[in-house]
PDB file of all heavy atoms in Angstrom:
ATOM      1  N   GLY A 243     -20.635 -90.995 -23.353  1.00 79.00           N
ATOM      2  CA  GLY A 243     -21.731 -91.952 -23.346  1.00 79.00           C
ATOM      3  C   GLY A 243     -22.740 -91.616 -24.430  1.00 79.00           C
ATOM      4  O   GLY A 243     -22.546 -90.671 -25.202  1.00 79.00           O
ATOM      5  N   GLU A 244     -23.826 -92.401 -24.468  1.00 76.00           N
ATOM      6  CA  GLU A 244     -24.835 -92.203 -25.510  1.00 76.00           C
ATOM      7  C   GLU A 244     -25.431 -90.799 -25.462  1.00 76.00           C
ATOM      8  O   GLU A 244     -25.626 -90.152 -26.474  1.00 76.00           O
ATOM      9  CB  GLU A 244     -25.944 -93.244 -25.361  1.00 76.00           C
ATOM     10  CG  GLU A 244     -25.544 -94.650 -25.786  1.00 76.00           C
ATOM     11  CD  GLU A 244     -25.123 -94.715 -27.247  1.00 76.00           C
ATOM     12  OE1 GLU A 244     -25.769 -94.037 -28.073  1.00 76.00           O
ATOM     13  OE2 GLU A 244     -24.147 -95.424 -27.555  1.00 76.00           O
ATOM     14  N   PHE A 245     -25.749 -90.339 -24.249  1.00 79.00           N
ATOM     15  CA  PHE A 245     -26.400 -89.043 -24.142  1.00 79.00           C
ATOM     16  C   PHE A 245     -25.460 -87.912 -24.530  1.00 79.00           C
ATOM     17  O   PHE A 245     -25.836 -86.970 -25.191  1.00 79.00           O
ATOM     18  CB  PHE A 245     -26.949 -88.834 -22.727  1.00 79.00           C
ATOM     19  CG  PHE A 245     -28.212 -89.602 -22.494  1.00 79.00           C
ATOM     20  CD1 PHE A 245     -28.199 -90.800 -21.804  1.00 79.00           C
ATOM     21  CD2 PHE A 245     -29.411 -89.135 -23.017  1.00 79.00           C
ATOM     22  CE1 PHE A 245     -29.355 -91.521 -21.618  1.00 79.00           C
ATOM     23  CE2 PHE A 245     -30.581 -89.854 -22.832  1.00 79.00           C
ATOM     24  CZ  PHE A 245     -30.556 -91.058 -22.131  1.00 79.00           C
ATOM     25  N   ARG A 246     -24.225 -88.064 -24.107  1.00 82.00           N
ATOM     26  CA  ARG A 246     -23.215 -87.074 -24.453  1.00 82.00           C
ATOM     27  C   ARG A 246     -23.063 -87.004 -25.975  1.00 82.00           C
ATOM     28  O   ARG A 246     -22.980 -85.927 -26.569  1.00 82.00           O
ATOM     29  CB  ARG A 246     -21.911 -87.485 -23.782  1.00 82.00           C
ATOM     30  CG  ARG A 246     -20.732 -86.608 -24.059  1.00 82.00           C
ATOM     31  CD  ARG A 246     -20.832 -85.300 -23.306  1.00 82.00           C
ATOM     32  NE  ARG A 246     -20.165 -84.264 -24.067  1.00 82.00           N
ATOM     33  CZ  ARG A 246     -19.935 -83.042 -23.625  1.00 82.00           C
ATOM     34  NH1 ARG A 246     -20.386 -82.690 -22.435  1.00 82.00           N
ATOM     35  NH2 ARG A 246     -19.311 -82.168 -24.369  1.00 82.00           N
ATOM     36  N   LYS A 247     -23.047 -88.169 -26.608  1.00 81.00           N
ATOM     37  CA  LYS A 247     -22.905 -88.193 -28.068  1.00 81.00           C
ATOM     38  C   LYS A 247     -24.116 -87.546 -28.737  1.00 81.00           C
ATOM     39  O   LYS A 247     -23.992 -86.790 -29.685  1.00 81.00           O
ATOM     40  CB  LYS A 247     -22.740 -89.636 -28.563  1.00 81.00           C
ATOM     41  CG  LYS A 247     -21.317 -90.136 -28.470  1.00 81.00           C
ATOM     42  CD  LYS A 247     -21.146 -91.436 -29.229  1.00 81.00           C
ATOM     43  CE  LYS A 247     -21.845 -92.564 -28.513  1.00 81.00           C
ATOM     44  NZ  LYS A 247     -21.712 -93.854 -29.166  1.00 81.00           N
ATOM     45  N   ALA A 248     -25.315 -87.873 -28.203  1.00 79.00           N
ATOM     46  CA  ALA A 248     -26.527 -87.302 -28.783  1.00 79.00           C
ATOM     47  C   ALA A 248     -26.486 -85.783 -28.661  1.00 79.00           C
ATOM     48  O   ALA A 248     -26.814 -85.056 -29.590  1.00 79.00           O
ATOM     49  CB  ALA A 248     -27.753 -87.862 -28.075  1.00 79.00           C
ATOM     50  N   TRP A 249     -26.066 -85.312 -27.488  1.00 82.00           N
ATOM     51  CA  TRP A 249     -26.110 -83.881 -27.222  1.00 82.00           C
ATOM     52  C   TRP A 249     -25.045 -83.127 -28.015  1.00 82.00           C
ATOM     53  O   TRP A 249     -25.306 -82.067 -28.580  1.00 82.00           O
ATOM     54  CB  TRP A 249     -25.935 -83.647 -25.720  1.00 82.00           C
ATOM     55  CG  TRP A 249     -26.123 -82.228 -25.322  1.00 82.00           C
ATOM     56  CD1 TRP A 249     -25.155 -81.320 -25.043  1.00 82.00           C
ATOM     57  CD2 TRP A 249     -27.371 -81.545 -25.178  1.00 82.00           C
ATOM     58  NE1 TRP A 249     -25.722 -80.106 -24.734  1.00 82.00           N
ATOM     59  CE2 TRP A 249     -27.080 -80.219 -24.810  1.00 82.00           C
ATOM     60  CE3 TRP A 249     -28.711 -81.940 -25.329  1.00 82.00           C
ATOM     61  CZ2 TRP A 249     -28.077 -79.268 -24.591  1.00 82.00           C
ATOM     62  CZ3 TRP A 249     -29.702 -80.990 -25.104  1.00 82.00           C
ATOM     63  CH2 TRP A 249     -29.380 -79.672 -24.754  1.00 82.00           C
ATOM     64  N   SER A 250     -23.835 -83.694 -28.067  1.00 84.00           N
ATOM     65  CA  SER A 250     -22.715 -82.924 -28.616  1.00 84.00           C
ATOM     66  C   SER A 250     -22.472 -83.181 -30.100  1.00 84.00           C
ATOM     67  O   SER A 250     -21.848 -82.368 -30.770  1.00 84.00           O
ATOM     68  CB  SER A 250     -21.429 -83.245 -27.847  1.00 84.00           C
ATOM     69  OG  SER A 250     -21.603 -82.956 -26.488  1.00 84.00           O
ATOM     70  N   ILE A 251     -22.945 -84.303 -30.598  1.00 86.00           N
ATOM     71  CA  ILE A 251     -22.682 -84.599 -32.007  1.00 86.00           C
ATOM     72  C   ILE A 251     -23.973 -84.598 -32.813  1.00 86.00           C
ATOM     73  O   ILE A 251     -24.081 -83.946 -33.841  1.00 86.00           O
ATOM     74  CB  ILE A 251     -21.980 -85.967 -32.164  1.00 86.00           C
ATOM     75  CG1 ILE A 251     -20.651 -85.964 -31.406  1.00 86.00           C
ATOM     76  CG2 ILE A 251     -21.743 -86.253 -33.635  1.00 86.00           C
ATOM     77  CD1 ILE A 251     -19.928 -87.281 -31.460  1.00 86.00           C
ATOM     78  N   LYS A 252     -24.959 -85.319 -32.306  1.00 87.00           N
ATOM     79  CA  LYS A 252     -26.151 -85.515 -33.139  1.00 87.00           C
ATOM     80  C   LYS A 252     -27.005 -84.262 -33.222  1.00 87.00           C
ATOM     81  O   LYS A 252     -27.483 -83.901 -34.303  1.00 87.00           O
ATOM     82  CB  LYS A 252     -26.973 -86.684 -32.588  1.00 87.00           C
ATOM     83  CG  LYS A 252     -26.196 -87.990 -32.683  1.00 87.00           C
ATOM     84  CD  LYS A 252     -27.023 -89.181 -32.308  1.00 87.00           C
ATOM     85  CE  LYS A 252     -26.183 -90.445 -32.456  1.00 87.00           C
ATOM     86  NZ  LYS A 252     -26.954 -91.645 -32.273  1.00 87.00           N
ATOM     87  N   LEU A 253     -27.219 -83.600 -32.093  1.00 86.00           N
ATOM     88  CA  LEU A 253     -28.070 -82.416 -32.143  1.00 86.00           C
ATOM     89  C   LEU A 253     -27.510 -81.321 -33.052  1.00 86.00           C
ATOM     90  O   LEU A 253     -28.235 -80.777 -33.877  1.00 86.00           O
ATOM     91  CB  LEU A 253     -28.346 -81.885 -30.731  1.00 86.00           C
ATOM     92  CG  LEU A 253     -29.465 -82.615 -29.982  1.00 86.00           C
ATOM     93  CD1 LEU A 253     -29.780 -81.919 -28.675  1.00 86.00           C
ATOM     94  CD2 LEU A 253     -30.722 -82.728 -30.835  1.00 86.00           C
ATOM     95  N   PRO A 254     -26.210 -81.001 -32.919  1.00 87.00           N
ATOM     96  CA  PRO A 254     -25.671 -80.013 -33.859  1.00 87.00           C
ATOM     97  C   PRO A 254     -25.824 -80.454 -35.315  1.00 87.00           C
ATOM     98  O   PRO A 254     -26.044 -79.628 -36.201  1.00 87.00           O
ATOM     99  CB  PRO A 254     -24.190 -79.928 -33.464  1.00 87.00           C
ATOM    100  CG  PRO A 254     -24.160 -80.344 -32.047  1.00 87.00           C
ATOM    101  CD  PRO A 254     -25.237 -81.376 -31.889  1.00 87.00           C
ATOM    102  N   ALA A 255     -25.718 -81.770 -35.553  1.00 86.00           N
ATOM    103  CA  ALA A 255     -25.809 -82.251 -36.932  1.00 86.00           C
ATOM    104  C   ALA A 255     -27.209 -82.066 -37.507  1.00 86.00           C
ATOM    105  O   ALA A 255     -27.368 -81.834 -38.703  1.00 86.00           O
ATOM    106  CB  ALA A 255     -25.408 -83.728 -37.000  1.00 86.00           C
ATOM    107  N   VAL A 256     -28.232 -82.185 -36.665  1.00 89.00           N
ATOM    108  CA  VAL A 256     -29.592 -82.084 -37.211  1.00 89.00           C
ATOM    109  C   VAL A 256     -30.128 -80.650 -37.176  1.00 89.00           C
ATOM    110  O   VAL A 256     -31.198 -80.394 -37.690  1.00 89.00           O
ATOM    111  CB  VAL A 256     -30.618 -82.971 -36.470  1.00 89.00           C
ATOM    112  CG1 VAL A 256     -30.310 -84.429 -36.659  1.00 89.00           C
ATOM    113  CG2 VAL A 256     -30.730 -82.604 -35.021  1.00 89.00           C
ATOM    114  N   ARG A 257     -29.370 -79.728 -36.562  1.00 89.00           N
ATOM    115  CA  ARG A 257     -29.944 -78.396 -36.389  1.00 89.00           C
ATOM    116  C   ARG A 257     -30.415 -77.738 -37.691  1.00 89.00           C
ATOM    117  O   ARG A 257     -31.531 -77.217 -37.727  1.00 89.00           O
ATOM    118  CB  ARG A 257     -28.962 -77.495 -35.649  1.00 89.00           C
ATOM    119  CG  ARG A 257     -29.605 -76.183 -35.246  1.00 89.00           C
ATOM    120  CD  ARG A 257     -28.869 -75.478 -34.142  1.00 89.00           C
ATOM    121  NE  ARG A 257     -29.105 -76.050 -32.847  1.00 89.00           N
ATOM    122  CZ  ARG A 257     -28.161 -76.250 -31.943  1.00 89.00           C
ATOM    123  NH1 ARG A 257     -26.920 -75.936 -32.231  1.00 89.00           N
ATOM    124  NH2 ARG A 257     -28.450 -76.749 -30.769  1.00 89.00           N
ATOM    125  N   PRO A 258     -29.611 -77.773 -38.776  1.00 85.00           N
ATOM    126  CA  PRO A 258     -30.106 -77.150 -40.006  1.00 85.00           C
ATOM    127  C   PRO A 258     -31.385 -77.815 -40.515  1.00 85.00           C
ATOM    128  O   PRO A 258     -32.326 -77.137 -40.938  1.00 85.00           O
ATOM    129  CB  PRO A 258     -28.966 -77.355 -41.001  1.00 85.00           C
ATOM    130  CG  PRO A 258     -27.771 -77.676 -40.187  1.00 85.00           C
ATOM    131  CD  PRO A 258     -28.252 -78.307 -38.927  1.00 85.00           C
ATOM    132  N   ALA A 259     -31.414 -79.145 -40.455  1.00 88.00           N
ATOM    133  CA  ALA A 259     -32.607 -79.858 -40.912  1.00 88.00           C
ATOM    134  C   ALA A 259     -33.796 -79.536 -40.022  1.00 88.00           C
ATOM    135  O   ALA A 259     -34.931 -79.395 -40.485  1.00 88.00           O
ATOM    136  CB  ALA A 259     -32.353 -81.364 -40.932  1.00 88.00           C
ATOM    137  N   LEU A 260     -33.546 -79.396 -38.732  1.00 91.00           N
ATOM    138  CA  LEU A 260     -34.609 -79.068 -37.791  1.00 91.00           C
ATOM    139  C   LEU A 260     -35.167 -77.676 -38.078  1.00 91.00           C
ATOM    140  O   LEU A 260     -36.380 -77.446 -38.030  1.00 91.00           O
ATOM    141  CB  LEU A 260     -34.071 -79.140 -36.355  1.00 91.00           C
ATOM    142  CG  LEU A 260     -35.106 -79.230 -35.237  1.00 91.00           C
ATOM    143  CD1 LEU A 260     -36.004 -80.432 -35.407  1.00 91.00           C
ATOM    144  CD2 LEU A 260     -34.414 -79.279 -33.873  1.00 91.00           C
ATOM    145  N   ALA A 261     -34.256 -76.757 -38.418  1.00 89.00           N
ATOM    146  CA  ALA A 261     -34.699 -75.402 -38.759  1.00 89.00           C
ATOM    147  C   ALA A 261     -35.585 -75.439 -39.998  1.00 89.00           C
ATOM    148  O   ALA A 261     -36.645 -74.799 -40.045  1.00 89.00           O
ATOM    149  CB  ALA A 261     -33.490 -74.503 -38.991  1.00 89.00           C
ATOM    150  N   LEU A 262     -35.158 -76.226 -40.993  1.00 85.00           N
ATOM    151  CA  LEU A 262     -35.949 -76.347 -42.224  1.00 85.00           C
ATOM    152  C   LEU A 262     -37.319 -76.934 -41.918  1.00 85.00           C
ATOM    153  O   LEU A 262     -38.355 -76.421 -42.372  1.00 85.00           O
ATOM    154  CB  LEU A 262     -35.194 -77.256 -43.202  1.00 85.00           C
ATOM    155  CG  LEU A 262     -35.671 -77.248 -44.650  1.00 85.00           C
ATOM    156  CD1 LEU A 262     -35.289 -75.943 -45.319  1.00 85.00           C
ATOM    157  CD2 LEU A 262     -35.090 -78.419 -45.417  1.00 85.00           C
ATOM    158  N   ALA A 263     -37.338 -77.997 -41.109  1.00 90.00           N
ATOM    159  CA  ALA A 263     -38.612 -78.628 -40.756  1.00 90.00           C
ATOM    160  C   ALA A 263     -39.503 -77.647 -39.992  1.00 90.00           C
ATOM    161  O   ALA A 263     -40.723 -77.619 -40.194  1.00 90.00           O
ATOM    162  CB  ALA A 263     -38.359 -79.880 -39.919  1.00 90.00           C
ATOM    163  N   THR A 264     -38.911 -76.847 -39.129  1.00 92.00           N
ATOM    164  CA  THR A 264     -39.692 -75.869 -38.375  1.00 92.00           C
ATOM    165  C   THR A 264     -40.326 -74.847 -39.312  1.00 92.00           C
ATOM    166  O   THR A 264     -41.513 -74.525 -39.184  1.00 92.00           O
ATOM    167  CB  THR A 264     -38.790 -75.143 -37.346  1.00 92.00           C
ATOM    168  OG1 THR A 264     -38.102 -76.120 -36.567  1.00 92.00           O
ATOM    169  CG2 THR A 264     -39.605 -74.257 -36.447  1.00 92.00           C
ATOM    170  N   VAL A 265     -39.523 -74.363 -40.244  1.00 88.00           N
ATOM    171  CA  VAL A 265     -40.052 -73.360 -41.176  1.00 88.00           C
ATOM    172  C   VAL A 265     -41.213 -73.944 -41.987  1.00 88.00           C
ATOM    173  O   VAL A 265     -42.270 -73.319 -42.137  1.00 88.00           O
ATOM    174  CB  VAL A 265     -38.924 -72.851 -42.102  1.00 88.00           C
ATOM    175  CG1 VAL A 265     -39.500 -72.033 -43.249  1.00 88.00           C
ATOM    176  CG2 VAL A 265     -37.938 -72.010 -41.301  1.00 88.00           C
TER     177      VAL A 265
END
Side-chain angles (χ1 to χ4, degrees):
Chain A
E244 287 300 321
F245 283 101
R246 178 74 210 188
K247 277 192 289 181
W249 187 258
S250 302
I251 300 178
K252 296 187 179 187
L253 278 187
V256 294
R257 190 160 283 137
L260 197 58
L262 194 72
T264 308
V265 168

